[in-house]
Amino acid sequence: GQWARMDNSRNYHFLHYGRMVLDTIPPGSLLLVNDDTNCNAVHYVLRCESHREDVDFVRLQLISFNWWRRTQLQYFPNITFPGSRHHPHDPTGFNMHTFLSHNIHTPRGRKIFVAGNWKSGDDSQAPFRRVPLGPAALVLPP
């Protein structure tokens, strides 16, 4: 009856999408994600399936909250967060241009990718180019 029509226990689209995002980027990359599908699919594959644990994964919408740095920074030792939070109008915060500038040139040559849109309200990343490489785009310096 009703359950049979609603049963998604064999629906693997979300899993396959998360794997596809992660499998198209090089080892050791930094992946910035926005939008629910990108965030949740990638988060599930990384944390529940332990797939591509070499990738640092940052949810753009979460780094704008005041509590984020205090509770989450310890999990991101390889990433520089150049202020209290991602908020271009907070004097102690940082904009995306500053974040990208601090993280795009690292000693080990880390690549930065973004899946989804940039967070609205901050257009500072405009000088950086996005080169689509599958479901995520490579971020290149100006």
Side-chain angles (χ1 to χ4, degrees):
Q2 184 77 0
W3 170 251
R5 287 185 301 200
M6 302 297 288
D7 180 13
N8 276 287
S9 62
R10 297 192 194 322
N11 180 344
Y12 296 99
H13 296 297
F14 204 65
L15 172 69
H16 295 312
Y17 179 73
R19 282 182 175 267
M20 183 173 58
V21 171
L22 290 166
D23 288 345
T24 58
I25 63 177
S29 294
L30 168 56
L31 177 61
L32 308 173
V33 293
N34 205 1
D35 309 320
D36 286 345
T37 299
N38 292 310
C39 290
N40 296 329
V42 169
H43 194 221
Y44 173 80
V45 171
L46 278 169
R47 302 297 181 250
C48 299
E49 300 284 325
S50 299
H51 183 69
R52 292 301 307 273
E53 292 178 306
D54 61 290
V55 172
D56 281 324
F57 157 71
V58 174
R59 294 177 177 215
L60 292 177
Q61 65 269 48
L62 294 184
I63 63 174
S64 64
F65 290 105
N66 287 323
W67 54 261
W68 190 90
R69 186 177 185 90
R70 182 178 66 254
T71 63
Q72 301 299 304
L73 190 62
Q74 64 188 333
Y75 302 111
F76 299 93
N78 300 320
I79 303 172
T80 300
F81 293 92
S84 62
R85 64 185 178 134
H86 174 218
H87 195 294
H89 307 294
D90 178 345
T92 66
F94 58 90
N95 62 29
M96 190 49 57
H97 186 283
T98 303
F99 176 84
L100 292 171
S101 296
H102 276 85
N103 289 284
I104 205 154
H105 297 293
T106 61
R108 59 181 221 203
R110 166 189 289 238
K111 302 229 182 294
I112 299 177
F113 288 81
V114 63
N117 296 314
W118 293 111
K119 187 156 176 14
S120 62
D122 180 5
D123 296 326
S124 66
Q125 73 281 342
F128 289 83
R129 291 186 308 136
R130 288 174 60 142
V131 178
L133 296 174
L138 175 65
V139 178
L140 296 175

